[in-house]
Amino acid sequence: MDFGVVLQTDPPARDVVAAMKAAEDNGFRYGWTFDSVVLWQEPFVIYSQVLAATSELVVGPMVTNPSTRDWSVTASLFATLNDMFGNRTVCGIGRGDSARRVIGQKPASLATLSQAMTVIKELAEGREVEHHGTPVRIPWVRDGKLEMWMAAYGPKALQLVGEQADGFILQTADPDIARWTIGSVREAAVAAGRDPAAITMCVAAPAYVGTDLPHQRDQLRWFGGMVGNHVADLVARYGDSGVVPAALTEYIKGREGYDYAHHGKAGNRSTDFVPDAIVDRFCLLGPASAHVDRLQELRDLGVDQFALYLMHDDKDKTLASYGNEVISRV
């Protein structure tokens, strides 16, 4: 199992670069960031500094979207970084949540997302593709490589992952949900004539190593609220029974709106509806041994990477604990 760290690009950017360098030093192979450029700083500028400060770390957004940049711009950003630093990027992508909603736009459709994944990958790898009705190729790309990892929860999105994406991003560490979603992706891949083993399975969730569980839960409750935004869309589309597991939908019944000014931040009051049991299921808490146990369970379900959201009040200790006690045991 590989390990990644997920950060927000809060200023100053030098702190993000330093944290990514510390992550690589502690055995993490991937460095991810949010991509919501109104709420945080522009990540692609910072990626250049991260890649320069590290030797092997692979960087990318968790996740970007098809709508806030032209697809040719997104492709050229990745291709430029890869040309500078040797194919050390990955494109995590989804329909768009905070980046779209804070500018008054809804998430993109799955049809748009599918087209975007094709165009971005083809251009970033140097091939010609039709874009805006015009044949387009980036002529300076040489030996470019860009994997597209798609974030998904619902049945149709999971089907698209299986049919098209190079990787699957599940933003919750609940083993039951991981079992269902990974199974759905694999079934879709087989139906599309693809090898399901060729799709990288990535679980992304907050982790906090320590012994004060009540405090840890309060620090990570924000994550249940973030996931709840996507779940609310699923409930609106599919209802709260049958197609989507109750393990993913039952807790949002007390949800009463969401303030993106506190998106992804500890103490977010928009997430008070999230019960302790959801925090325990969606996140990794407790001593290092508890993290090892959950990660081994996820690994046995087919998870290839755990990406650790590092957003709480004891980041350095958790990062060091993973480097010293967790990664080597998993």
Side-chain angles (χ1 to χ4, degrees):
M1 177 184 280
D2 281 334
F3 285 82
V5 65
V6 189
L7 303 177
Q8 294 166 339
T9 51
D10 288 312
R14 62 177 176 273
D15 289 352
V16 179
V17 176
M20 291 293 192
K21 178 67 168 63
E24 183 178 60
D25 291 343
N26 277 285
F28 290 79
R29 293 191 59 241
Y30 284 74
W32 304 92
T33 73
F34 282 40
D35 179 19
S36 186
V37 296
V38 172
L39 297 176
W40 299 285
Q41 292 185 329
E42 167 59 56
F44 283 91
V45 177
I46 300 172
Y47 293 158
S48 184
Q49 296 293 311
V50 171
L51 289 164
T54 58
S55 58
E56 297 182 358
L57 197 72
V58 178
V59 306
M62 188 174 281
V63 293
T64 192
N65 68 84
S67 307
T68 52
R69 302 178 187 87
D70 187 83
W71 303 342
S72 63
V73 173
T74 303
S76 186
L77 287 167
F78 282 109
T80 301
L81 292 171
N82 283 338
D83 186 66
M84 293 171 67
F85 298 102
N87 288 337
R88 288 170 54 200
T89 68
V90 58
C91 181
I93 193 167
R95 294 175 58 217
D97 179 36
S98 60
R100 294 280 291 163
R101 297 186 198 271
V102 297
I103 60 173
Q105 302 294 310
K106 294 181 180 179
S109 69
L110 288 177
T112 298
L113 177 56
S114 175
Q115 295 169 359
M117 287 196 294
T118 296
V119 171
I120 293 168
K121 183 179 179 68
E122 293 297 294
L123 289 176
E125 295 187 347
R127 293 183 290 275
E128 182 178 291
V129 67
E130 185 172 296
H131 184 40
H132 300 309
T134 300
V136 179
R137 184 177 70 86
I138 301 177
W140 47 263
V141 172
R142 298 289 184 271
D143 301 318
K145 179 176 175 57
L146 181 66
E147 291 192 352
M148 306 296 295
W149 293 17
M150 179 180 156
Y153 291 106
K156 291 183 179 179
L158 295 169
Q159 180 180 346
L160 179 58
V161 174
E163 292 172 345
Q164 184 174 347
D166 300 303
F168 167 48
I169 297 172
L170 172 64
Q171 291 167 308
T172 174
D174 184 296
D176 290 337
I177 296 171
R179 183 180 295 104
W180 172 68
T181 54
I182 290 172
S184 297
V185 167
R186 287 173 170 166
E187 289 175 5
V190 171
R194 302 181 69 203
D195 178 6
I199 302 173
T200 302
M201 306 295 178
C202 174
V203 160
Y208 191 144
V209 177
T211 57
D212 187 347
L213 288 177
H215 178 72
Q216 290 177 312
R217 290 178 181 126
D218 287 343
Q219 284 286 300
L220 302 186
R221 203 174 306 276
W222 64 266
F223 185 67
M226 188 182 84
V227 173
N229 292 329
H230 303 287
V231 174
D233 288 343
L234 292 179
V235 171
R237 178 181 293 272
Y238 297 106
D240 59 2
S241 62
V243 179
V244 182
L248 191 55
T249 63
E250 61 188 12
Y251 78 100
I252 68 162
K253 293 177 181 179
R255 184 177 182 269
E256 297 179 352
Y258 189 81
D259 183 358
Y260 278 92
H262 305 290
H263 186 61
K265 297 183 183 297
N268 184 347
R269 294 181 179 178
S270 300
T271 64
D272 289 346
F273 70 93
V274 179
D276 288 351
I278 287 294
V279 181
D280 291 349
R281 282 164 45 187
F282 284 17
C283 306
L284 277 69
L285 305 88
S289 59
H291 293 243
V292 170
D293 290 344
R294 176 72 69 84
L295 290 167
Q296 289 176 338
E297 183 177 7
L298 291 169
R299 182 195 60 197
D300 292 344
L301 292 174
V303 174
D304 300 301
Q305 180 182 148
F306 176 65
L308 188 165
Y309 282 97
L310 198 60
M311 292 129 203
H312 54 70
D313 62 0
D314 204 2
K315 302 173 185 178
D316 293 344
K317 179 181 175 182
T318 290
L319 199 65
S321 293
Y322 264 69
N324 295 328
E325 303 176 78
V326 177
I327 292 177
S328 62
R329 296 170 61 186
V330 179

